[in-house]
Amino acid sequence: MQSLLKCLFVFYVAQYVFTFRCDRRPYGSLTQPSAPDGRFKLEVEGADETYIPNQLYTVRITETDGESRFTGFMISAEGEVRQDPKNPRKMITLSPGDVTPRNYLTTKFSNRCHFSVEHAVGTPKSSAEVYWHAPASGNGCVTLRAMVAENKESWYEDGGPLSLYLCEDMRQPDDITPQVNYDCGICDEAKYEITFTGIWSRNTHPRLYPENDWLPRYSDLVGASHAADVILWAPGSLTTDGFKDVAEYANTTRFEQEIREKIGSGVRTLIKGKGHGYLKMNSPTYSFIRTDKVNHLITAAVGIHPSPDWFLGVSRFELCQGDSWLTERELNLYPWDAGTDNGVSYESANFPTFPQAAISRVETSSYDKHSPFYEMDMKEMHPFGTLRIKLVKTYKRDCTSNTNEEPSESGTTTEEGTSTTEQPSTESEGLSEPEEPSRYRYTDSTGQPPLVTDPESSEDCPMTQWLEWTPCDGPCENGRVSGFQWRERFHLVDGVAVEKYDPNVDPSTRKEVPRFCKNHYEDFERRECEDDCDEEQNEVAR
């Protein structure tokens, strides 16, 4: 009996605690609230029935008839009540976020109610605004409530117009990692073109954009195609030393080396595209990768300079779509924070984060006026760049045979490691094309590159001669192809063509190209082209 009485007592107390709401009545009032009559309403700017976690919103009480006025108000946020997953007998209240004054001269934190802001001046008004910083992801739904007082005897609270129920928006920006396919069953291999195009400029992102136009630039595009158990960078993880250089200094050298060391053990192809700066900020940069049923994810990153530790990119993006390869996708890219520097603006002084924090989205909706994202949420922000992923061709493989080949090291190779016996798939909607003739491969009869130095290069930065232009790649319309073609050459270090696939060379022993040479001598060219369609393209076009 005693135990039963204790249980009932605990239940009663719990019900009292979790259903209790503080007294929002106007100061000095002895009356009960009237039912809302529709003359006043509560609204959240930029939100309908959902909220984006960690974003800053303006919450407003306003009149609806053009003439009504109120003297007092209170706006409160209430979180959901759930069972504690660690102790089912215990109830916990999830975070409703933070409600803060927008104007401290007319509003103040309530000393009567938690997560509430109320009027500080009792003058007649037609509207009132406060900030609501939405809670972090995982806190479910939040109820926003308002009390509006015309005077201490006539006041309203809750009800349809004066309460809002908002749940977490589960939609994600483009550059959030999609679900990984751990059981890719595609036998055919694929070749992709990866294109990064910058958007960051004084026109698209004017707030606190660096004064010196020559200062902003992007790092090289760097990343890899890799297996599901490889993480090069990911939200919630700590950066490597090499990736820290990408984010803080827009320098990819050490990160590239970290990737090279994984080639053959989880990494298939290095993604590498030249970074652009002054006058070329919006010029695209290209790279090519190979994927297969094991290495079907891509991770890529581009550092932003100047910035504390900000970068753009995608992590573990899935290309294996059920029983076929992703055909094409363009992703909008927004800034990430590497968690290594506490700066709040592009040109903030170096201020290391200690201890190091995990990678996360750059703080938007910041209260700090020194931030480029002051009072700005993800819906208002322009992308800083785009990443276009396009299937170029597929290579027919037999699932019953061992078709594994040595991984191609560089994303800018032309697939020299591909067997001459493989045939392109004819099931990829015209994206496949006949295998390139041997004249497009930079090899001699022994399979080794003829080390002929390009006369346009220098003694300090020798390079191989340019490969011939690839066939014109594009859609076939009325018997003509209109598109692009490209060609490559390679840096020579001690007589070795660097970043060129060679199955006889241990990737960890490959030589490094001096930074000066990389910055002053192009190794990739692309141009527009037109040509007659070949027989296969004509068949697809029909």
Side-chain angles (χ1 to χ4, degrees):
M1 186 66 180
Q2 289 182 341
S3 59
L4 177 61
L5 290 175
K6 287 182 180 179
C7 290
L8 291 174
F9 176 76
V10 170
F11 177 78
Y12 172 79
V13 171
Q15 288 289 99
Y16 175 78
V17 170
F18 288 113
T19 59
F20 171 77
R21 295 208 309 269
C22 65
D23 189 358
R24 298 187 179 91
R25 73 180 62 234
Y27 292 101
S29 176
L30 298 176
T31 63
Q32 295 298 314
S34 302
D37 56 13
R39 290 183 298 125
F40 305 103
K41 70 175 182 178
L42 181 69
E43 59 186 13
V44 181
E45 192 174 285
D48 187 7
E49 297 179 350
T50 61
Y51 68 86
I52 298 176
N54 293 315
Q55 299 303 305
L56 187 69
Y57 293 96
T58 297
V59 181
R60 181 184 301 111
I61 298 174
T62 183
E63 48 80 22
T64 62
D65 58 5
E67 59 181 35
S68 296
R69 298 291 183 268
F70 58 95
T71 58
F73 75 91
M74 180 184 292
I75 296 177
S76 305
E78 295 179 0
E80 286 188 311
V81 177
R82 293 182 182 175
Q83 284 184 326
D84 187 344
K86 298 180 180 179
N87 183 0
R89 293 179 295 179
K90 180 181 178 182
M91 303 297 290
I92 58 173
T93 303
L94 302 183
S95 171
D98 295 311
V99 182
T100 57
R102 179 161 186 163
N103 184 338
Y104 282 88
L105 295 178
T106 58
T107 55
K108 65 180 181 178
F109 288 106
S110 173
N111 56 10
R112 298 183 291 168
C113 301
H114 295 303
F115 306 110
S116 301
V117 167
E118 60 186 353
H119 67 278
V121 179
T123 56
K125 53 185 75 67
S126 61
S127 66
E129 295 181 341
V130 302
Y131 285 135
W132 174 52
H133 197 167
S137 180
N139 280 284
C141 300
V142 174
T143 302
L144 297 176
R145 303 182 186 278
M147 180 279 290
V148 181
E150 294 182 283
N151 52 62
K152 66 179 182 179
E153 302 300 330
S154 177
W155 59 285
Y156 315 89
E157 70 171 351
D158 296 348
L162 296 179
S163 64
L164 295 172
Y165 186 68
L166 305 176
C167 294
E168 180 181 347
D169 189 342
M170 302 306 292
R171 294 171 298 176
Q172 298 286 1
D174 289 344
D175 52 358
I176 290 291
T177 304
Q179 186 172 357
V180 175
N181 180 3
Y182 288 97
D183 189 25
C184 180
I186 304 177
C187 298
D188 296 348
E189 297 187 2
K191 178 179 179 179
Y192 280 91
E193 179 187 57
I194 311 296
T195 307
F196 169 76
T197 304
I199 299 178
W200 183 34
S201 70
R202 191 180 302 281
N203 291 329
T204 58
H205 303 82
R207 182 173 175 80
L208 301 180
Y209 189 83
E211 288 295 326
N212 296 322
D213 286 331
W214 53 266
L215 190 59
R217 65 180 177 87
Y218 296 108
S219 76
D220 291 347
L221 170 67
V222 63
S225 61
H226 57 86
D229 59 351
V230 171
I231 297 178
L232 301 179
W233 74 266
S237 65
L238 298 179
T239 66
T240 62
D241 291 339
F243 197 78
K244 175 183 176 183
D245 287 354
V246 175
E248 290 196 12
Y249 310 112
N251 186 325
T252 64
T253 303
R254 282 207 293 175
F255 188 51
E256 288 175 36
Q257 184 58 37
E258 291 174 354
I259 295 174
R260 292 180 192 279
E261 291 172 357
K262 292 182 173 65
I263 290 178
S265 58
V267 166
R268 164 117 194 211
T269 312
L270 173 71
I271 295 174
K272 181 63 187 297
K274 186 173 179 60
H276 293 300
Y278 183 52
L279 298 181
K280 292 186 177 181
M281 285 287 287
N282 303 126
S283 298
T285 185
Y286 306 91
S287 185
F288 296 88
I289 61 166
R290 288 285 292 271
T291 62
D292 53 53
K293 64 183 300 182
V294 174
N295 304 289
H296 48 87
L297 304 176
I298 61 168
T299 294
V302 174
I304 300 174
H305 178 83
S307 75
D309 56 350
W310 300 343
F311 66 95
L312 311 175
V314 294
S315 171
R316 296 166 56 78
F317 186 84
E318 181 62 78
L319 300 176
C320 182
Q321 308 289 305
D323 58 355
S324 63
W325 291 109
L326 175 74
T327 302
E328 187 171 0
R329 181 80 182 274
E330 184 168 280
L331 310 174
N332 289 323
L333 303 181
Y334 299 90
W336 293 94
D337 187 319
T340 59
D341 192 291
N342 284 326
V344 297
S345 188
Y346 301 121
E347 299 181 87
S348 294
N350 188 38
F351 185 24
T353 302
F354 184 82
Q356 181 177 335
I359 295 174
S360 63
R361 184 68 76 185
V362 165
E363 183 183 0
T364 55
S365 304
S366 172
Y367 293 111
D368 195 327
K369 293 185 177 181
H370 296 98
S371 167
F373 315 114
Y374 174 66
E375 294 187 8
M376 178 188 298
D377 64 29
M378 288 286 291
K379 292 182 179 179
E380 300 171 321
M381 187 189 303
H382 288 284
F384 275 61
T386 62
L387 193 74
R388 181 168 174 258
I389 305 166
K390 179 185 178 184
L391 181 64
V392 175
K393 79 172 62 164
T394 57
Y395 302 91
K396 198 70 175 178
R397 295 298 191 203
D398 185 353
C399 284
T400 61
S401 63
N402 182 12
T403 58
N404 292 332
E405 61 186 37
E406 291 295 323
S408 172
E409 177 183 351
S410 172
T412 55
T413 66
T414 52
E415 312 305 327
E416 294 84 359
T418 305
S419 168
T420 57
T421 61
E422 66 186 16
Q423 296 297 321
S425 169
T426 59
E427 300 176 358
S428 49
E429 300 182 6
L431 290 171
S432 296
E433 60 187 9
E435 185 65 82
E436 300 97 334
S438 60
R439 65 191 180 94
Y440 294 110
R441 303 184 184 281
Y442 202 74
T443 58
D444 58 19
S445 59
T446 65
Q448 298 302 316
L451 303 180
V452 180
T453 304
D454 190 329
E456 295 181 2
S457 59
S458 68
E459 292 184 4
D460 294 330
C461 297
M463 301 193 74
T464 65
Q465 290 185 334
W466 286 101
L467 302 183
E468 293 189 47
W469 291 97
T470 62
C472 192
D473 179 34
C476 175
E477 296 180 358
N478 301 321
R480 297 284 292 175
V481 172
S482 179
F484 295 91
Q485 57 183 169
W486 54 86
R487 64 176 183 172
E488 303 172 272
R489 60 179 178 175
F490 302 93
H491 293 277
L492 292 171
V493 178
D494 297 333
V496 176
V498 181
E499 296 185 351
K500 181 179 182 303
Y501 176 74
D502 186 344
N504 301 313
V505 175
D506 181 352
S508 65
T509 64
R510 290 186 183 273
K511 300 180 182 298
E512 288 294 324
V513 178
R515 192 71 181 173
F516 175 85
C517 298
K518 283 189 176 184
N519 290 338
H520 289 78
Y521 291 90
E522 297 285 353
D523 58 7
F524 180 85
E525 288 186 348
R526 171 175 160 137
R527 68 185 183 187
E528 295 183 356
C529 62
E530 287 191 5
D531 201 355
D532 293 329
C533 300
D534 59 30
E535 291 184 6
E536 181 179 349
Q537 290 170 322
N538 276 319
E539 284 293 327
V540 173
R542 287 197 290 266

